[in-house]
Amino acid sequence: MATPVSQVTPLPNKDAFRSGMRAGIPVAVGYIPIAIAFGLLAKSFDMPNVITLAMSLFIFAGASQFIGVQLIMAGSMYWEIILTTFILNLRHFLMSASLSQRLETTSNRFLAAIAFGVTDETFSVASTRDESTRGHFVLGLNMIAFLAWNVGTWIGVFLAFGLPVSVQASMGIALYAMFIGLLVPSLTRKPVIVVAAIAVLTQAILYFGIAPFLPLSPGLSIILATVVAAGAGALLYKEDET
Amino acid sequence: MISLLLLVLAMALVTYIPRLVPLLWLRDIKLRPFLKRFLLFTPYAVLASLIFPGILQATTSLTSAVAGGVVSATLALLRVNLMFVVIGGIAGVYLMNLFL
């Protein structure tokens, strides 16, 4: 059968998967210090190792794991921790929604496997690559990020106590550095700047004005500030300027 | 221990659902424009709320936390790879702690 000249032969699945893994290397390399910091943080809070490792294995979401450990150790209510995790990770909904429009892959089991690995970073990489219409590509990308996250957690839990205390103490910043690294490059568009500013302002009001007088957990204030800021953004910017 | 493990599994479930539902069922559903814009802004709102005030208590001292944050923000402004933004932040905290 004749094929139009312009049509490129699709990459075999195996090659798409490998290409995805290669595309995921920068994400994997970035995850390792953060995962080590997570393992260290959990250890410093005397979290049982099994729980720490299970978090990286089953949850695979950096921010909510860090916040989760902090909330557990602060003695927060379980429903509050679960709600915070849910709200924090609700943002993946939009990323999966965007991927769903792009992927050619059809099998539900395959999509279920891809869904598990959707993170801010894997999604950012997938959005910028043409190959990401291929399920195998996205799976390879997500897989290497997941492996790095878990390897880093194991290192943090079992090996990182060998690091000098001064280095260990410095790694608490790792997650926040990643957040800054993700947010700052987006601050080129006015709506994003306004939303981020409203979030910080709301957090400041809650932290300095309310928290000293009313019991307000970090998780709850993150939820409140997010809803206020994203809601304000959605109200203020009606046009397609987002 | 068992209750902690159950908590982790519950956290895993509420993390997985928003990742899974759109991939399986969203192809045909049209979101209301307001909700769509709300979801578009959510990542930035979450990131900003996570950074402040959490970063203030990320290390042993306020000064070193701010130093690490400034180094990371500078590197991020220069569009440096995420990995170096993280390592730079750690280095900033480490160096500031040496001086304190």
Side-chain angles (χ1 to χ4, degrees):
Chain A
M1 201 161 52
T3 348
V5 184
S6 61
Q7 200 171 346
V8 185
T9 327
L11 224 52
N13 287 341
K14 213 165 114 187
D15 291 349
F17 183 80
R18 282 207 188 124
S19 162
M21 286 197 108
R22 269 198 302 278
I25 289 172
V27 174
V29 173
Y31 272 2
I32 286 181
I34 299 166
I36 293 175
F38 170 69
L40 274 171
L41 176 86
K43 193 109 186 152
S44 73
F45 278 140
D46 288 326
M47 179 71 88
N49 291 345
V50 178
I51 301 296
T52 310
L53 299 174
M55 286 178 95
S56 285
L57 196 60
F58 295 125
I59 304 175
F60 185 40
S64 53
Q65 288 181 219
F66 272 86
I67 306 278
V69 166
Q70 277 159 350
L71 291 179
I72 290 169
M73 290 311 163
S76 299
M77 308 285 254
Y78 279 13
W79 68 264
E80 199 180 72
I81 300 170
I82 294 167
L83 183 64
T84 307
T85 308
F86 180 66
I87 301 279
L88 274 179
N89 293 329
L90 207 51
R91 65 188 191 282
H92 297 134
F93 185 91
L94 192 74
M95 302 176 191
S96 283
S98 158
L99 271 180
S100 77
Q101 309 297 316
R102 180 193 290 259
L103 282 172
E104 291 161 355
T105 311
T106 47
S107 126
N108 278 354
R109 265 163 67 183
F110 202 87
L111 288 171
I114 289 176
F116 183 75
V118 176
T119 68
D120 301 314
E121 297 78 18
T122 57
F123 175 74
S124 305
V125 172
S127 319
T128 56
R129 300 284 294 241
D130 295 333
E131 301 102 306
S132 62
T133 52
R134 299 293 302 278
H136 284 85
F137 176 86
V138 181
L139 193 66
L141 164 68
N142 293 0
M143 186 87 83
I144 196 169
F146 177 71
L147 287 176
W149 184 249
N150 279 277
V151 167
T153 309
W154 281 75
I155 295 174
V157 167
F158 293 113
L159 299 175
F161 57 83
L163 287 172
V165 176
S166 52
V167 175
Q168 288 190 30
S170 310
M171 295 191 77
I173 200 81
L175 184 77
Y176 296 98
M178 183 182 75
F179 294 151
I180 290 172
L182 289 170
L183 179 62
V184 167
S186 315
L187 296 178
T188 48
R189 287 166 299 150
K190 195 182 162 215
V192 175
I193 297 175
V194 169
V195 166
I198 293 174
V200 169
L201 190 68
T202 312
Q203 280 285 55
I205 293 170
L206 294 173
Y207 184 68
F208 296 111
I210 313 268
F213 311 106
L214 280 173
L216 186 63
S217 74
L220 199 55
S221 25
I222 290 166
I223 295 170
L224 285 173
T226 300
V227 171
V228 167
L235 283 175
L236 284 170
Y237 299 100
K238 295 237 159 93
E239 309 307 310
D240 210 353
E241 38 189 337
T242 52
Chain B
M1 180 70 121
I2 293 297
S3 69
L4 268 183
L5 205 56
L6 288 175
L7 172 67
V8 169
L9 292 178
M11 289 169 75
L13 191 69
V14 298
T15 304
Y16 188 47
I17 290 170
R19 285 170 167 166
L20 179 67
V21 167
L23 273 173
L24 292 189
W25 294 297
L26 207 78
R27 290 161 194 259
D28 330 309
I29 297 171
K30 200 108 179 99
L31 289 178
R32 287 177 51 201
F34 179 83
L35 191 61
K36 211 168 175 172
R37 291 199 304 273
F38 183 88
L39 285 173
L40 271 174
F41 282 121
T42 303
Y44 312 111
V46 170
L47 283 172
S49 325
L50 283 170
I51 294 168
F52 186 85
I55 193 170
L56 303 179
Q57 283 151 14
T59 65
T60 43
S61 80
L62 182 64
T63 324
S64 66
V66 171
V70 169
V71 171
S72 291
T74 311
L75 293 173
L77 274 174
L78 297 171
R79 298 289 193 278
V80 168
N81 183 292
L82 187 61
M83 177 183 64
F84 296 107
V85 174
V86 172
I87 292 172
I90 296 172
V93 171
Y94 179 78
L95 291 174
M96 186 51 88
N97 274 334
L98 289 183
F99 287 111
L100 292 176

